[in-house]
């Protein structure tokens, strides 16, 4: 393995350790009662290492969904131009779900935390609004439009709702995420025909 790949794997392992330690401590002690120093110690790194990866405690909670969102946008824009928007969105969902199983424990703990912390719930609502807008912009760009039209905003809202519904079912059922995605998009296609 090359040095660059080894460094990247170590960075990813450190980032994952910090996320898991943070969410575990937040669940045990509460978000407000957990310090950055405690998170760093639980992940066996220094405080300065924590801040190399995350700008704040809140950033730990929202970094994984934000990274997935960035990958989702890149996937949408990379889909073939002749492909319809529904298929592009479906394939983008499948692509970003490929590493979902490795994030399962973190996602379960994160959902519990969001449900119990009003401040984080408010931040989640802000994040939802922001990502809805960014998805609408990506869909508009894909269509050659300079700004989102009504169809792009509606499609983005459907993406967000579908993402939430898929995530909840996946966490509860443990079913294969790609199978769930394909099933939901088939339902969307059936609804569009009626």
């Amino acid at each position: 393995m090359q040095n660059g790949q080894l460094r990247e794997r170590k960075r990813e392992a450190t980032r994952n350790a910090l996320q898991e330690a943070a969410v575990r401590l937040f669940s045990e002690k509460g978000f407000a009662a957990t310090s950055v120093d405690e998170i760093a110690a639980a992940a066996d790194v220094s405080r300065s290492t924590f801040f190399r990866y995350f700008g704040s405690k809140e950033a730990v909670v929202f970094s994984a969904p934000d990274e997935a969102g960035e990958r989702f946008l890149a996937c949408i824009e990379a889909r073939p131009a002749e492909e319809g928007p529904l298929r592009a969105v479906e394939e983008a969902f499948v692509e970003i779900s490929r590493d979902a199983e490795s994030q399962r424990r973190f996602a379960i703990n994160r959902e519990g935390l969001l449900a119990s912390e009003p401040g984080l719930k408010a931040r989640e609502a802000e994040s939802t609004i922001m990502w809805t807008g960014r998805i609408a912009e990506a869909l508009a760009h894909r269509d050659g439009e300079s700004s989102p039209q009504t169809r792009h905003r509606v499609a983005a809202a459907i993406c967000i709702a579908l993402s939430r519904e898929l995530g909840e079912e996946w966490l509860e059922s443990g079913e294969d995420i790609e199978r769930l995605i394909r099933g939901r998009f088939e339902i969307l296609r059936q609804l569009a025909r009626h």
Side-chain angles (χ1 to χ4, degrees), residues 14-36 38-40 42-43 50 54 56-65 103-117 120 171:
T14 300
R15 183 180 189 80
N16 289 342
L18 283 164
Q19 285 178 317
E20 288 181 17
V23 171
R24 180 178 48 77
L25 288 169
F26 295 157
S27 297
E28 291 170 3
K29 300 179 64 176
F31 182 78
T34 302
S35 71
V36 167
E38 289 171 315
I39 296 168
F50 174 92
F54 303 103
S56 66
K57 293 189 303 183
E58 192 175 79
V60 177
V61 178
F62 292 96
S63 65
Q103 295 290 316
R104 186 176 177 76
R105 188 174 68 216
F106 175 78
I108 289 169
N109 290 336
R110 181 182 181 275
E111 287 305 307
L113 179 62
L114 290 174
S116 65
E117 293 284 341
L120 294 177
L171 290 176

Side-chain angles (χ1 to χ4, degrees), residues 2-194:
Q2 297 177 344
N3 287 340
Q5 290 175 319
L6 183 58
R7 277 193 300 274
E8 185 56 37
R9 285 181 62 190
K10 285 183 178 180
R11 277 194 291 269
E12 187 176 330
T14 300
R15 183 180 189 80
N16 289 342
L18 283 164
Q19 285 178 317
E20 288 181 17
V23 171
R24 180 178 48 77
L25 288 169
F26 295 157
S27 297
E28 291 170 3
K29 300 179 64 176
F31 182 78
T34 302
S35 71
V36 167
D37 290 328
E38 289 171 315
I39 296 168
D44 201 27
V45 299
S46 68
R47 177 184 174 86
S48 62
T49 298
F50 174 92
F51 284 112
R52 277 199 297 266
Y53 289 87
F54 303 103
S56 66
K57 293 189 303 183
E58 192 175 79
V60 177
V61 178
F62 292 96
S63 65
D66 286 347
E67 289 167 10
E70 293 295 345
R71 288 195 323 270
F72 183 74
L73 295 179
C75 289
I76 287 174
E77 292 187 0
R79 298 302 305 167
E82 65 276 3
E83 189 174 71
L86 187 62
R87 177 64 68 189
V89 169
E90 179 179 0
E91 296 306 324
F93 268 119
V94 168
E95 183 63 31
I96 67 164
S97 73
R98 298 212 190 278
D99 66 346
E101 199 55 47
S102 67
Q103 295 290 316
R104 186 176 177 76
R105 188 174 68 216
F106 175 78
I108 289 169
N109 290 336
R110 181 182 181 275
E111 287 305 307
L113 179 62
L114 290 174
S116 65
E117 293 284 341
L120 294 177
K121 203 179 279 190
R123 167 66 168 82
E124 175 78 350
E126 292 170 10
S127 181
T128 297
I129 292 167
M130 183 269 294
W131 280 111
T132 303
R134 292 204 52 204
I135 292 168
E137 288 170 5
L139 291 169
H141 182 261
R142 191 173 181 280
D143 284 349
E145 302 277 351
S146 60
S147 62
Q149 305 301 307
T150 302
R151 70 182 183 277
H152 302 121
R153 290 189 294 274
V154 169
I158 290 170
C159 282
I160 293 293
L162 187 60
S163 174
R164 178 161 294 145
E165 196 268 338
L166 277 166
E168 288 172 3
E169 182 164 346
W170 174 67
L171 290 176
E172 287 176 17
S173 71
E175 283 188 56
D176 177 70
I177 187 71
E178 183 172 347
R179 205 177 82 164
L180 286 173
I181 292 166
R182 299 291 186 198
R184 292 311 180 274
F185 276 87
E186 183 53 36
I187 290 169
L188 282 177
R189 281 187 281 275
Q190 289 171 8
L191 289 171
R193 287 193 289 266
H194 292 289

